[in-house]
């Protein structure tokens, strides 16, 4: 029998205690600890950034010399500090050149992150998630510098193996990863890829 969803689990409580805007902070923290995706001074783009827990983690990782740009369909309301810029924008229509200019990254971002998720209905969510991932892959030539890194959310489903393969074709290494803070009942995974070669 399915277990009732525990909304206030240990990651929720930990996020509240440590001042993070959402439990999702710990997903990126674990990905970064495992794969060392971010370095001090990096220029990082966060697609689907609201409410902003990943922005908090990235801002800490890149430090004062780094720059972070986040976009989302929804507004973010937190003050993330001077090295973070957020804007309301749709990944399907946003202008990549404007994002690079905002970050002061003419040669491209060092890392692109996407925690974008469709509004879930229980019908075809995995296909909508795969579509978002393919949009991210489509944007990479205009956004990521050679050798750059990627972490993106994907819902497991019929398109997941193909999306992973398409990502692997463009990177030195690409793997699926399920962080501990990701709920067991959720079909979300992350594709973590390093060394973009286009
Ligand atoms: C799981 S939340 C992101 C949580 C965020 N990483 C954090 O830690 O606070 C997923 C976000 O993806 C955004 N999103 C979905 N489709 C999008 C699109 N086409 N363009 C931009 N953002 C999108 C949603 O508005 C939502 O805020």
């Amino acid at each position: 029998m399915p277990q009732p969803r525990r909304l206030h689990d240990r990651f929720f409580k930990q996020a509240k205690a440590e001042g993070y805007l959402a439990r999702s902070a710990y997903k990126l923290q674990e990905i970064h600890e495992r794969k060392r995706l971010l370095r001090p001074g990096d220029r990082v783009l966060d697609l689907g950034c609201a409410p902003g827990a990943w922005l908090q983690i990235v801002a800490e990782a890149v430090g004062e010399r780094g720059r972070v740009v986040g976009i989302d369909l929804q507004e973010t309301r937190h003050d993330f500090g001077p090295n973070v810029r957020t804007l309301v924008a749709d990944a399907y229509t946003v202008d990549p050149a404007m994002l690079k200019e905002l970050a002061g990254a003419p040669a491209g971002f060092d890392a692109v992150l996407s925690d974008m998720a469709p509004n879930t209905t229980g019908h075809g969510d995995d296909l909508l998630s795969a579509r978002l991932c393919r949009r991210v892959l489509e944007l990479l030539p205009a956004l990521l510098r050679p050798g750059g890194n990627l972490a993106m959310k994907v819902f497991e489903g019929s398109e997941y193996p193909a999306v992973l393969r398409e990502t692997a074709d463009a990177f030195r290494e690409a793997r699926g990863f399920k962080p501990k803070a990701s709920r067991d009942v959720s079909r979300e995974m992350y594709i973590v890829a390093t060394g973009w070669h286009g």
Side-chain angles (χ1 to χ4, degrees):
M1 202 163 124
Q3 295 296 306
R5 199 171 139 178
R6 285 192 315 165
L7 286 176
H8 294 186
D9 65 2
R10 92 172 158 89
F11 290 108
F12 175 89
K13 290 176 187 151
Q14 192 178 343
K16 241 180 136 55
E18 294 181 350
Y20 289 117
L21 292 164
R23 64 199 300 289
S24 53
Y26 301 106
K27 300 177 195 172
L28 182 61
Q29 196 174 64
E30 191 182 342
I31 291 169
H32 172 50
E33 275 167 14
R34 288 278 191 97
K35 299 284 181 181
R36 291 283 134 209
L37 284 189
L38 312 165
R39 279 177 302 267
D42 273 358
R43 307 291 195 249
V44 179
L45 176 66
D46 182 3
L47 299 166
C49 65
W54 278 28
L55 290 174
Q56 292 175 292
I57 296 289
V58 181
E60 285 167 19
V62 303
E64 284 174 8
R65 289 187 299 110
R67 290 284 277 278
V68 190
V69 174
I71 73 161
D72 201 290
L73 300 173
Q74 300 174 49
E75 215 175 323
T76 50
R77 294 170 190 282
H78 186 77
D79 178 4
F80 297 98
N83 60 350
V84 180
R85 297 284 302 271
T86 62
L87 62 153
V88 174
D90 185 336
Y92 286 110
T93 53
V94 72
D95 173 11
M98 181 268 291
L99 297 176
K100 285 193 289 191
E101 199 177 314
L102 266 183
F109 289 90
D110 298 294
V112 171
L113 309 175
S114 169
D115 198 18
M116 288 192 291
N119 285 327
T120 49
T121 60
H123 300 285
D125 299 333
D126 57 321
L127 299 179
L128 292 172
S129 165
R131 186 166 169 249
L132 282 167
C133 290
R134 290 197 165 109
R135 175 58 182 156
V136 175
L137 295 178
E138 183 181 73
L139 282 169
L140 290 184
L143 285 174
L144 198 58
R145 69 157 172 81
N149 300 327
L150 168 75
M152 69 177 170
K153 190 208 299 277
V154 57
F155 291 170
E156 267 192 297
S158 57
E159 286 299 300
Y160 169 63
V163 171
L164 181 56
R165 221 171 27 246
E166 287 157 33
T167 312
D169 284 346
F171 285 84
R172 194 181 54 237
E173 186 187 309
R175 288 184 197 276
F177 181 67
K178 176 96 177 162
K180 290 190 190 75
S182 182
R183 297 176 207 278
D184 291 342
V185 291
S186 159
R187 292 167 78 197
E188 85 177 358
M189 293 279 298
Y190 289 85
I191 293 177
V192 184
T194 50
W196 186 70
H197 51 70

